[in-house]
Amino acid sequence: MLVLLPPSEGKAASGRGAPLKPESLSLPGLAGARAAVLDGLVELCAADEEKARVVLGLSEGLRGEIAKNVELRTAGARPAGELYTGVLYDALDLASLDTAARRLAGKSLLVFSGLWGAVRVGDRIPPYRCSMGVKLPGLGALGAFWRAPMAEVMPEAAGDGLVLDLRSSAYTAAWKPKGAVAERTASVRVLHSQLVDGVEKRSVVSHFNKATKGRMVRDLLRAGARPKDPAELVTALRGLGYVVEAEAPARAGRTWDLDVVVTEIH
């Protein structure tokens, strides 16, 4: 099982220990592309703070993030699973998992990133600010920039098992499963169901969508689940108490779409 996660804007304030070692990151086939984005980002932030703020889409209150980008090569790094602190990662709570579940997380979880392309949760990276939606001078839109290098490495990373795609739309732009990999891929949408005047109404709520996905991955890891395809994933999730609606795609080469329906949001 390979679980594709988005990063989070929320990150630990600082790294710790040794700085980034690019050669130690997973998916070494991305090394050249990572170097290009890192060079471009550091150059932008070191040369013109105001331009960098606009390019990166930062508010005035986040101007300090630019200085962090300048120091990316020398700043302390920490495992990606500790660095990201947003809603999904708070619900996932990797640090509190038992040893077996953490080991499975290290093998199964892959975090997409505008700067790094994709990293595993054990990869040590420094705090940074660079979303997939950024148009970096000299490289253009990062979602488009990453497509070619990701197409080279992701089929091998996916292997012959399930791909559980929990990325947000900005990050799906960097890689879309094709062919046999697509047929083993399941995308999940979280729907909130409630009765309004006796009629069921369903809606997507962003914050709780992320929290539910984090809890769902946590439950799969704690259970030691290793579904091989979307049908087995549906069975595993239902066994964990989730209400899942799924239908196999009508055509070959298409991904599965799963709806996880919740009645309480928290």
Side-chain angles (χ1 to χ4, degrees), residues 37 48 53 142:
V37 178
D48 189 328
R53 188 183 71 81
L142 292 179

Side-chain angles (χ1 to χ4, degrees), residues 40-93:
L41 181 62
V42 171
E43 180 179 346
L44 168 69
C45 293
D48 189 328
E49 185 176 284
E50 181 58 23
K51 181 179 179 180
R53 188 183 71 81
V54 173
V55 169
L56 297 176
L58 301 179
S59 66
E60 188 63 38
L62 291 174
R63 185 181 287 270
E65 297 295 299
I66 299 168
K68 291 183 181 180
N69 283 348
V70 175
E71 304 297 329
L72 280 170
R73 294 190 181 92
T74 57
R78 65 170 65 205
E82 297 179 10
L83 181 73
Y84 297 115
T85 60
V87 174
L88 187 154
Y89 292 90
D90 288 346
L92 177 55
D93 195 9

Side-chain angles (χ1 to χ4, degrees), residues 4-15:
L4 310 183
L5 299 175
S8 65
E9 293 295 339
K11 299 180 181 69
S14 62

Side-chain angles (χ1 to χ4, degrees), residues 94-113:
L94 287 169
S96 68
L97 292 173
D98 62 34
T99 300
R102 285 200 303 271
R103 187 178 299 115
L104 183 57
K107 296 177 181 177
S108 303
L109 308 187
L110 195 65
V111 185
F112 273 60
S113 162

